[in-house]
Amino acid sequence: MQQEQNERTIPQSTRKAKLYGVGVGPGDPSLITLRAVEILQGMQVIAIPKSKMERESVAWEIAQAHCPSGVRILELEMPMTADKEILQAAWHQAAVKIKAELDLGHSVAFLTLGDPSLYSTYSYLLAILKSQLEPDQIETIPGITAMSAAAARVNWPLAIGDDPLIVLPGIEGLEEYEQYPNLVLMKVSRNLPDVLNHIQKTGAQAVLATRVSQTGEEIRLLSPGEVIEKVDYLSLVLYKKDRSEDLG
Amino acid sequence: MQQEQNERTIPQSTRKAKLYGVGVGPGDPSLITLRAVEILQGMQVIAIPKSKMERESVAWEIAQAHCPSGVRILELEMPMTADKEILQAAWHQAAVKIKAELDLGHSVAFLTLGDPSLYSTYSYLLAILKSQLEPDQIETIPGITAMSAAAARVNWPLAIGDDPLIVLPGIEGLEEYEQYPNLVLMKVSRNLPDVLNHIQKTGAQAVLATRVSQTGEEIRLLSPGEVIEKVDYLSLVLYKKDRSEDLG
């Protein structure tokens, strides 16, 4: 059980600074947890990856409503590249910045849209910082994922009974998963035509969910043979094969 | 965006009764969302499956703190059986009970520990009730899953990069998934020895998480060759193959 006291109630000098990985949920400000709100209310430093992505500003908008007015933003440079070496360097630099704050006695909340454990930059930072911090200096607060929010919006199950649930961050090798009933395809903007072809071939029912629970949300059932050229990068597909009965 | 007003602010006579599928999170009362709290605060009827399982009483304990004092409990009989026909009959009977409340103008919140879209009785009820209700009479509020909470507790990622995440509700046919790096094994109490054998064989790192974020939480790293005879039924395993680097 997470029973720590709110940061604000403990004098700065007696507490150990902590790194909080805070999941703020999928976008709807009401889909944040009480625990995340409690943590944010006591924060002095909020770490946000700075990139061209809008994802971060959405996370900050949700968090800001709960942060003290004097909160300080620690921007972490995250280059938009797939080059693992450049990314590694950026994560290490970000970790140094966070560690420096902690060493000064400042607790830091690193924000993640959705859940910090699922395809998040936070995981890369943790892998670096774990060896440099005491175990009780790290607390991760889980968040509602975009896939849970998408399933809720269309009143579909993600999975039921003995069915596996398979979450695919890339859409390469989609054929490999043809026999599985429940797929969640993340980041479909990278290759939507392949996804649409796959859906037509397998006859699956599928929903394209863009900016789930955020301003500009669009959710639509995909029809077989549908052609969509371009889609917002904050999009995912819920894919159901031979599961009409479950969908009601 | 979920912009509906709180039930309490709209006179009973003018609003349409709704079915809310409310995810209350994994067990820690602070891991419920603001939206779930808001819904519960306006509820007159709370539907809870009545079984031998403790799961339901944990969900009710979390919800109760937010419900009005005069809230009424609608118990839904759920037989403890794997017999699909008996279960189907029970789900249909539960759906009739909920529909009767809605027809009387009473909104109903059906509670789910974790997320209502993931391996939940709520999905079976929805499949039945969807055809009987207007689309705007159903609202599902996503919840924090036990797997997200478990990952957060040990500061592990569920998955990163281009890795798929595979969630298996049963542990049959585990060998089929041998090549995948990230598995979540639910309901491992049904066949823990097989799970432990599999972990030893594949040399994966694994965590056994029991009653995550609840009273009586137990979380432990599994060692190769470990023998555990029996485990609480609210247990899951996070399984990582060849991912030491990601775990920090």
Side-chain angles (χ1 to χ4, degrees):
Chain A
M1 302 286 283
Q2 293 159 343
Q3 299 287 7
E4 292 95 320
Q5 280 183 271
N6 192 308
E7 294 267 329
R8 287 188 299 185
T9 65
I10 308 172
Q12 172 111 2
S13 55
T14 61
R15 66 170 168 81
K16 197 184 274 175
K18 279 177 74 169
L19 168 62
Y20 295 93
V22 178
V24 299
D28 179 339
S30 77
L31 292 179
I32 194 171
T33 63
L34 301 182
R35 180 65 183 152
V37 167
E38 181 186 29
I39 295 299
L40 293 172
Q41 284 172 343
M43 274 304 104
Q44 292 150 327
V45 182
I46 302 286
I48 306 180
K50 188 188 168 186
S51 69
K52 295 257 149 52
M53 310 282 273
E54 214 185 323
R55 188 186 296 270
E56 285 72 32
S57 62
V58 177
W60 170 235
E61 240 173 80
I62 298 165
Q64 193 170 17
H66 306 290
C67 290
S69 56
V71 75
R72 186 157 49 83
I73 303 291
L74 182 67
E75 281 193 341
L76 307 172
E77 299 283 344
M78 291 289 152
M80 287 289 288
T81 173
D83 186 318
K84 195 77 192 267
E85 231 167 275
I86 297 177
L87 284 171
Q88 283 277 5
W91 297 328
H92 275 275
Q93 214 161 20
V96 168
K97 275 188 159 185
I98 290 173
K99 181 66 166 49
E101 293 288 345
L102 297 173
D103 288 345
L104 288 169
H106 306 150
S107 288
V108 176
F110 183 95
L111 304 184
T112 298
L113 194 63
D115 180 23
S117 302
L118 197 61
Y119 304 116
S120 156
T121 303
Y122 175 70
S123 295
Y124 299 109
L125 288 175
L126 260 195
I128 296 165
L129 284 167
K130 254 187 189 175
S131 61
Q132 304 174 28
L133 301 174
E134 303 292 322
D136 65 353
Q137 276 190 287
I138 303 173
E139 182 180 329
T140 306
I141 293 107
I144 302 286
T145 59
M147 66 182 176
S148 281
R153 290 293 280 139
V154 293
N155 296 310
W156 278 16
L158 283 170
I160 63 172
D162 285 336
D163 282 352
L165 171 68
I166 299 187
V167 185
L168 300 172
I171 53 83
E172 270 164 58
L174 205 49
E175 306 73 32
E176 192 187 323
Y177 301 94
E178 213 161 278
Q179 78 273 29
Y180 295 106
N182 307 293
L183 304 181
V184 177
L185 311 172
M186 315 281 285
K187 304 179 189 165
V188 288
S189 67
R190 296 194 291 183
N191 209 348
L192 191 63
D194 283 358
V195 173
L196 293 171
N197 280 342
H198 188 73
I199 289 166
Q200 178 161 31
K201 203 178 73 181
T202 59
Q205 286 184 271
V207 156
L208 173 65
T210 298
R211 297 181 177 260
V212 186
S213 90
Q214 299 171 25
T215 313
E217 176 188 84
E218 272 186 56
I219 295 180
R220 53 188 285 192
L221 204 65
L222 292 172
S223 314
E226 188 151 359
V227 179
I228 303 173
E229 290 297 337
K230 208 171 159 3
V231 73
D232 188 282
Y233 82 101
L234 283 173
S235 298
L236 60 83
V237 163
L238 303 180
Y239 167 106
K240 301 281 167 192
K241 196 184 160 203
D242 309 325
R243 285 297 177 276
S244 298
E245 201 185 308
D246 304 341
L247 305 179
Chain B
M1 302 288 282
Q2 293 157 338
Q3 297 288 8
E4 294 93 319
Q5 279 183 270
N6 191 308
E7 293 268 330
R8 287 190 299 187
T9 64
I10 308 172
Q12 170 111 1
S13 55
T14 60
R15 66 171 167 80
K16 197 184 277 177
K18 279 177 74 170
L19 168 62
Y20 295 93
V22 177
V24 299
D28 180 338
S30 77
L31 291 179
I32 194 171
T33 63
L34 300 183
R35 180 62 182 153
V37 168
E38 181 186 27
I39 295 298
L40 292 173
Q41 285 172 342
M43 274 303 106
Q44 293 149 324
V45 182
I46 302 286
I48 306 179
K50 188 190 168 188
S51 70
K52 295 259 150 49
M53 311 281 274
E54 214 185 321
R55 187 186 294 271
E56 284 74 31
S57 62
V58 177
W60 170 235
E61 241 174 78
I62 299 165
Q64 192 170 18
H66 306 291
C67 290
S69 57
V71 75
R72 186 156 49 85
I73 303 290
L74 183 67
E75 281 193 340
L76 307 173
E77 298 285 344
M78 291 290 153
M80 288 287 289
T81 173
D83 185 318
K84 196 76 191 269
E85 231 167 275
I86 297 175
L87 284 171
Q88 282 277 5
W91 296 329
H92 275 275
Q93 214 160 20
V96 167
K97 275 185 158 187
I98 290 173
K99 182 66 167 43
E101 292 289 344
L102 297 173
D103 287 346
L104 288 170
H106 307 150
S107 288
V108 176
F110 183 95
L111 304 183
T112 298
L113 195 64
D115 180 22
S117 303
L118 199 61
Y119 304 116
S120 155
T121 303
Y122 175 70
S123 294
Y124 298 109
L125 288 175
L126 259 195
I128 297 166
L129 284 167
K130 253 186 190 174
S131 60
Q132 303 173 29
L133 301 173
E134 304 292 321
D136 65 354
Q137 276 189 285
I138 302 173
E139 183 179 329
T140 306
I141 294 108
I144 302 286
T145 59
M147 64 183 180
S148 280
R153 290 294 279 138
V154 294
N155 296 310
W156 277 16
L158 283 171
I160 63 173
D162 285 335
D163 281 350
L165 171 68
I166 298 187
V167 185
L168 299 173
I171 53 81
E172 272 164 56
L174 205 51
E175 307 75 32
E176 191 188 326
Y177 301 95
E178 214 160 275
Q179 77 272 26
Y180 295 106
N182 306 293
L183 304 182
V184 177
L185 311 173
M186 315 282 284
K187 304 181 190 165
V188 288
S189 66
R190 297 195 289 183
N191 209 349
L192 190 63
D194 283 359
V195 173
L196 293 171
N197 281 342
H198 188 74
I199 290 165
Q200 179 162 29
K201 204 178 73 182
T202 59
Q205 286 185 271
V207 156
L208 173 65
T210 297
R211 295 181 177 263
V212 186
S213 91
Q214 299 171 25
T215 313
E217 176 187 85
E218 272 186 58
I219 296 180
R220 52 188 288 192
L221 204 64
L222 292 172
S223 314
E226 188 151 359
V227 178
I228 303 173
E229 290 297 336
K230 209 173 155 11
V231 73
D232 188 283
Y233 82 101
L234 284 173
S235 298
L236 60 83
V237 163
L238 303 179
Y239 168 107
K240 300 280 169 193
K241 197 183 159 203
D242 310 326
R243 287 297 178 278
S244 299
E245 200 185 306
D246 304 339
L247 304 179

